[in-house]
Amino acid sequence: MVYNGLLKKERQSLHERIGLVMEQLFHDRLPEFYETLAYHYKQGQSILKAVDYLMKAGEKSFNRSALDESHSYFKEAYDLLCNNPERTSEDEKILIDLIISWVTHITFVAITKPDNPLQGT
């Protein structure tokens, strides 16, 4: 109830601070929180941090064979980068790394699990 009463800038600031506090508190256990950190940084408008944690969440999901989940994290990271109107050359490099990693995962799925629904993606 209180959250909805906050101005957009205040909510963004709150999410940003939550992400920073989580990084500090859980610095030795960050992989457990990649998804949550990605969410808070996305809401806080720290696009590059959100993308970084989304890629890590995608990798983590892939490593535990949650292939659809992995795909959705990579897609969300891709969408964030592509929809950023203020994209820099550094962002372009991150986008290339993201695409290479994502394609590697999709290729692995297509080769090892040809009946997986990601094959048509």
Side-chain angles (χ1 to χ4, degrees):
M1 193 73 137
V2 173
Y3 177 82
N4 290 333
L6 295 173
L7 296 173
K8 184 177 180 180
K9 285 285 185 198
E10 292 171 326
R11 285 190 302 234
Q12 289 173 336
S13 177
L14 180 63
H15 282 289
E16 190 76 25
R17 286 183 289 171
I18 290 170
L20 291 169
V21 168
M22 286 183 70
E23 285 178 326
Q24 292 169 358
L25 286 176
F26 305 118
H27 63 88
D28 55 340
R29 298 174 29 211
L30 284 181
E32 295 175 40
F33 301 98
Y34 287 159
E35 301 83 357
T36 305
L37 286 161
Y39 170 79
H40 285 296
Y41 281 123
K42 178 181 175 185
Q43 297 303 313
Q45 297 299 301
S46 288
I47 301 302
L48 293 182
K49 277 192 164 193
V51 166
D52 181 50
Y53 282 118
L54 284 166
M55 290 174 66
K56 289 175 178 176
E59 188 71 36
K60 181 175 105 174
S61 296
F62 182 81
N63 289 336
R64 60 180 176 77
S65 298
L67 304 177
D68 291 338
E69 186 176 288
S70 174
H71 174 71
S72 68
Y73 287 128
F74 280 107
K75 182 176 182 339
E76 188 175 353
Y78 175 83
D79 290 343
L80 278 176
L81 282 174
C82 286
N83 294 329
N84 183 3
E86 300 169 8
R87 198 166 57 219
T88 65
S89 61
E90 185 61 32
D91 296 345
E92 295 288 337
K93 292 175 187 173
I94 294 168
L95 182 59
I96 291 168
D97 290 342
L98 166 65
I99 292 169
I100 290 169
S101 183
W102 193 12
V103 167
T104 301
H105 290 92
I106 291 173
T107 303
F108 175 82
V109 171
I111 291 170
T112 61
K113 301 180 190 288
D115 59 335
N116 188 285
L118 290 181
Q119 185 178 10
T121 308

